[in-house]
Amino acid sequence: MSEQNSTQHSERNSKRDGERHGRQNGEQNSTQHSDLRETVRRRYAAAAVQVTEGGSTCCGPQAIEIDDNFGSTLYAADDREALPVEAVAASLGCGNPTAVADLREGERVLDLGSGGGIDVLLSARRVGPTGRAFGLDMTDEMLALALANREKAGATNVEFLKGTIEAIPLPANSIDVVISNCVINLSTDKAAVFAEAFRVLAPGGRIGVSDVVADDALSPQQRAERGDFAGCIAGALSFAEYREGLAAAGFTDIGITPTHAVADGMHSAIVRATKPVSACCGVTACCTPAEQAAQPGTTVAEAKSAAGCGCQG
């Protein structure tokens, strides 16, 4: 074999080896993500069952036992007393997003990872009969609990959906406010979560979520040393990573305000951001593989340019 042929043969082998290793790494990452999601699903399914079938006090089921940094104690007494005790008992969040989202009459609200429904039911009361509150959860047990709580609360402007927060089963531009309570940190694809939140929000819409956020100085390994993934610690983004992720999705007016510590260097925080009013006018399913120009015979690029769209990607 000539030296040139030998070199070409070696290059081809190296390329095949690289492609094989790439596939193996991709498959390994996919398996790890699936395993983490299943761990999260099992934990929250068990929590729902604990509330539904577990021991009760004189006034209803006993709240899930967690520390003071998480759970229903972060809600005002008036809010807790106005809801079914099962919704309160199933609360596992790190804040109260409905208290900071500035919800208004007639708005459409989506809660990512709605659990037993506490934030959806509170949102439904705030937006009133002309508004609508949606809850999205991937866990059958939590959805069953949430539906039962909806019936007990007599909420007629509430809808619970099954699905993941990385692939929201709602049309583009259909929501005014996205809220979430300590769930985004549990996602293994946060970029997809931010992109989906941006997609479903109408121009001028906003997010107001509570989530666990890490100090910028903490590495992913150091975050994992402070708590596990399903416990809302190991998967948390840093402040800088959160801002960068939201900005990459197209959000503006990004603000992250820590409220209380949940571990060393880890904080419960209020996260706010806005979808620009000018974002992707003239385009449907903006900045997703399904985006199309609203006007027939016009390309996506032409539609964005003509509208002065803030999302040119």
Side-chain angles (χ1 to χ4, degrees):
M1 182 183 295
S2 69
E3 182 177 344
Q4 181 179 3
N5 288 339
S6 177
T7 300
Q8 291 174 342
H9 181 72
S10 177
E11 288 175 349
R12 285 196 296 270
N13 285 341
S14 296
K15 182 178 180 181
R16 283 197 297 269
D17 288 343
E19 291 173 346
R20 184 172 65 252
H21 288 313
R23 287 194 298 271
Q24 289 173 343
N25 288 337
E27 291 169 358
Q28 183 178 15
N29 288 336
S30 177
T31 300
Q32 289 174 341
H33 290 177
S34 297
D35 289 346
L36 284 172
R37 176 177 286 180
E38 178 58 18
T39 298
V40 171
R41 190 203 65 77
R42 285 199 304 266
R43 175 181 179 179
Y44 290 93
V49 171
Q50 179 180 332
V51 170
T52 304
E53 302 179 357
S56 62
T57 65
C58 64
C59 303
Q62 185 175 354
I64 299 168
E65 291 187 4
I66 43 181
D67 62 44
D68 291 340
N69 296 318
F70 298 88
S72 61
T73 59
L74 300 173
Y75 292 80
D78 288 349
D79 283 341
R80 296 197 303 268
E81 292 168 2
L83 297 176
V85 290
E86 290 83 359
V88 176
S91 175
L92 292 163
C94 58
N96 180 358
T98 60
V100 300
D102 190 26
L103 301 179
R104 303 157 195 157
E105 284 277 336
E107 288 189 316
R108 302 158 296 177
V109 184
L110 168 65
D111 181 19
L112 302 179
S114 48
I118 184 170
D119 292 314
V120 178
L121 296 175
L122 287 173
S123 296
R125 297 177 65 211
R126 286 171 169 77
V127 300
T130 60
R132 193 152 187 84
F134 296 88
L136 174 65
D137 206 282
M138 68 175 183
T139 309
D140 289 330
E141 293 84 351
M142 277 294 185
L143 285 168
L145 177 60
L147 289 169
N149 288 331
R150 180 184 67 179
E151 297 305 310
K152 291 173 184 175
T156 59
N157 60 340
V158 165
E159 183 175 348
F160 288 103
L161 308 169
K162 183 176 181 179
T164 68
I165 62 177
E166 298 87 1
I168 301 171
L170 286 171
N173 306 316
S174 61
I175 296 295
D176 299 303
V177 188
V178 169
I179 65 172
S180 184
N181 196 351
C182 210
V183 172
I184 294 175
N185 68 81
L186 296 171
S187 172
T188 58
D189 189 353
K190 296 173 180 64
V193 177
F194 296 147
E196 279 291 271
F198 189 90
R199 180 185 66 82
V200 300
L201 280 171
R206 60 199 187 278
I207 66 171
V209 309
S210 295
D211 208 6
V212 173
V213 184
D215 285 343
D216 291 335
L218 292 183
S219 68
Q221 180 179 352
Q222 289 171 321
R223 299 169 212 175
E225 291 170 353
R226 286 154 170 77
D228 63 15
F229 194 94
C232 301
I233 301 296
L237 296 174
S238 70
F239 285 90
E241 289 166 346
Y242 224 118
R243 292 189 186 93
E244 291 165 3
L246 289 169
F251 285 101
T252 59
D253 302 322
I254 299 166
I256 305 176
T257 306
T259 57
H260 61 273
V262 298
D264 183 22
M266 312 285 292
H267 313 270
S268 173
I270 295 166
V271 182
R272 295 185 178 94
T274 303
K275 179 175 179 175
V277 173
S278 62
C280 295
C281 297
V283 178
T284 61
C286 179
C287 297
T288 73
E291 69 178 356
Q292 295 181 344
Q295 293 295 325
T298 304
T299 68
V300 168
E302 289 170 344
K304 289 182 178 181
S305 177
C309 177
C311 176
Q312 298 290 343

